[in-house]
Amino acid sequence: MSSVFPLLAQARHMPLIAILRGLTPEEALDIGQALYQAGFRSLEVPLNRPGAIECIAALAAGLPADALIGGGTMLTVAHVDAVHAAGGRLMVSPNCDPAVIRRAVELGMLASPGVATPTEAFAALAAGAHALKLFPAESLGHGGLKALKSVVPAGTDLWPVGGITPESIGPWVKAGATGFGIGSQLFAPGVTAAQVHERASAYVQAWQAATA
């Protein structure tokens, strides 16, 4: 892991990742702009829904250069190649697959694989992961995060994902979280750009309050 990797340094400025599961290409840019205007800078579109690659391409082309766009549920090397070809620079997965992590690192992408145990965490870091997605956060809890933080290298970025609300950000930060992935509480099919902006603003305010 390199704590000075440029994309990681960029993500650390606002380490809230919008998980846009079910986003359509037609609405991608409007939703992306709403998130950007609210203060989000990292957006992932999970690949296990139709149109994900098209959404990633639209977001990468349409948002400002400091927006970090990528894919979620990236399970194969082919997924990494497809997201990179679409302009994505962020690799997020629910699991730890060293081959997928290494390919993302080879392509200069920010790699944030999912881990739930120390074994997975160290395997991910050995493969070159830049940040660790703690998933599912609801099962791990604050105690699981504290235990993991006590054994991984100091400075490792730990991003809980699953069930994160604005109200829960403060306690998670106290437990050691350095960022978050936020899914259906932020966006789900049928949610408007205006609603996304309102929800995103609440998350940004909660993060700023927790880290002030």
Side-chain angles (χ1 to χ4, degrees), residues 156-181:
T156 299
D157 287 76
L158 301 169
W159 299 342
V161 177
I164 305 301
T165 65
E167 294 75 22
S168 70
I169 282 182
W172 274 112
V173 169
K174 289 181 181 179
T178 61
F180 298 92

Side-chain angles (χ1 to χ4, degrees), residues 11 14-18 40-43 169 179-182 200 203-204 207:
M14 178 50 69
L16 301 180
I17 302 170
F40 273 66
R41 292 296 181 269
S42 298
L43 289 68
I169 282 182
F180 298 92
I182 305 160
Y203 277 100
V204 169
W207 170 259

